[in-house]
């Protein structure tokens, strides 16, 4: 009975969650211990967002990226219990990126209205 409960653990969360979970684990980055926001391309907006996050978050990001680089070059993955879980994946940069985009849009609109 316990194995059946484990097997249907995510059934009650709905089809969209299960699809999102499947897509998340099909990508390669959880097996390297990366978070979704670690995978963003470096742009001027991202550079500004990195200035706004806490030092602790920045150091954790740098550690995850350095570890993932070593693992990728060695062609190995983390043990399954160390993979990033979907429910634990924190979008720590997204709010800052969205705020910066909003600020840039407001600045552009303000300059247009002059």
């Amino acid at each position: 009975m316990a194995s059946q409960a484990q097997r249907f653990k995510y059934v009650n969360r709905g089809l969209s969650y299960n699809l999102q979970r499947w897509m998340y684990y099909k990508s390669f980055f959880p097996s390297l211990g990366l978070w979704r926001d670690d995978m963003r391309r470096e742009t001027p907006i991202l550079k500004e967002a990195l200035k706004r996050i806490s030092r602790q978050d920045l150091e954790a990001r740098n550690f995850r990226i350095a570890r993932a680089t070593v693992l990728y070059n060695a062609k190995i993955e983390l043990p399954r219990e160390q993979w990033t879980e979907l429910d634990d994946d924190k979008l720590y940069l997204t709010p800052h990126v969205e705020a910066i985009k909003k600020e840039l849009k407001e600045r552009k609109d303000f300059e247009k209205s002059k």
Side-chain angles (χ1 to χ4, degrees):
M1 189 73 170
S3 64
Q4 226 177 8
Q6 285 177 334
R7 194 173 349 152
F8 298 108
K9 182 177 175 181
Y10 300 103
V11 169
N12 293 334
R13 293 208 181 182
L15 181 61
S16 65
Y17 177 80
N18 290 331
L19 182 60
Q20 181 183 13
R21 185 174 166 77
W22 177 79
M23 289 174 58
Y24 182 81
Y25 290 111
K26 282 305 247 180
S27 64
F28 191 57
F29 68 89
S31 65
L32 298 175
L34 292 170
W35 293 359
R36 284 177 283 183
D37 274 352
D38 295 337
M39 301 300 296
R40 288 181 173 267
R41 291 191 186 274
E42 195 157 318
T43 63
I45 293 174
L46 182 69
K47 287 179 183 179
E48 179 61 32
L50 289 172
K51 292 177 187 175
R52 295 182 184 192
I53 64 174
S54 70
R55 183 180 177 104
Q56 183 180 5
D57 283 343
L58 183 61
E59 289 175 357
R61 177 183 191 270
N62 291 339
F63 170 78
R64 287 190 303 271
I65 291 172
R67 178 181 59 181
T69 302
V70 170
L71 291 169
Y72 182 78
N73 288 333
K75 297 184 180 7
I76 57 175
E77 295 179 345
L78 288 171
R80 181 65 175 104
E81 59 273 0
Q82 292 181 17
W83 285 21
T84 305
E85 295 296 325
L86 174 62
D87 297 328
D88 298 333
D89 192 340
K90 179 178 133 188
L91 295 175
Y92 63 97
L93 280 175
T94 300
H96 297 285
V97 169
E98 290 172 358
I100 293 166
K101 286 180 180 178
K102 183 178 177 184
E103 290 168 14
L104 291 173
K105 184 182 181 309
E106 288 173 358
R107 185 178 298 148
K108 184 179 177 184
D109 291 344
F110 177 74
E111 289 174 0
K112 276 185 181 178
S113 67
K114 281 185 167 180

